[in-house]
Amino acid sequence: MYVDKNPYHLKAIYNMHESCSHCGLHYKIEPSFFYGAMYVSYALTVAIGVAAFIIAKVFIGLDLITSFIAIIAALVILMPVTARLARNIYINIFVHYDKDALKK
């Protein structure tokens, strides 16, 4: 889906191919289609933040301030992965894979 497979190359984080090499789907379905992925990204970052807090506070036993620092660190480190994953989830909500699309 992406030109550069490594999400940590930040200059090319959102550079996408024009269409899918397997089914021929045109990724730019409409202008500003991926703005809706912000809502998916929000949900993912909330889930990561909650998980980081539980791991830091409950399992490791860090104090409150250090636990919040762990949340910030987890969100910053995982931001490129979260951004791409949100786009992938968003497009899969509206477009379903058709293995016979190229045959048609």
Side-chain angles (χ1 to χ4, degrees):
M1 190 166 170
Y2 299 97
V3 175
D4 188 357
K5 293 189 186 289
N6 187 351
Y8 290 99
H9 292 154
L10 299 179
K11 289 186 179 184
I13 189 170
Y14 290 122
N15 292 348
M16 299 174 67
H17 293 287
E18 289 294 320
S19 60
C20 179
S21 61
H22 297 285
C23 67
L25 172 72
H26 186 67
Y27 288 130
K28 295 184 181 181
I29 296 169
E30 63 183 36
S32 306
F33 174 74
F34 286 108
Y35 280 149
M38 290 185 301
Y39 297 104
V40 177
S41 178
Y42 177 75
L44 288 173
T45 56
V46 168
I48 291 169
V50 169
F53 180 77
I54 290 172
I55 290 169
K57 184 73 175 158
V58 176
F59 293 119
I60 299 175
L62 299 175
D63 63 343
L64 190 62
I65 300 297
T66 312
S67 296
F68 280 108
I69 292 171
I71 293 171
I72 293 169
L75 292 177
V76 168
I77 291 169
L78 293 174
M79 185 277 305
V81 175
T82 304
R84 282 193 174 183
L85 185 60
R87 278 189 168 204
N88 292 351
I89 291 170
Y90 191 72
I91 199 167
N92 279 293
I93 290 172
F94 295 102
V95 179
H96 300 287
Y97 179 69
D98 183 10
K99 65 180 178 179
D100 299 323
L102 287 179
K103 295 177 186 175
K104 294 177 185 176

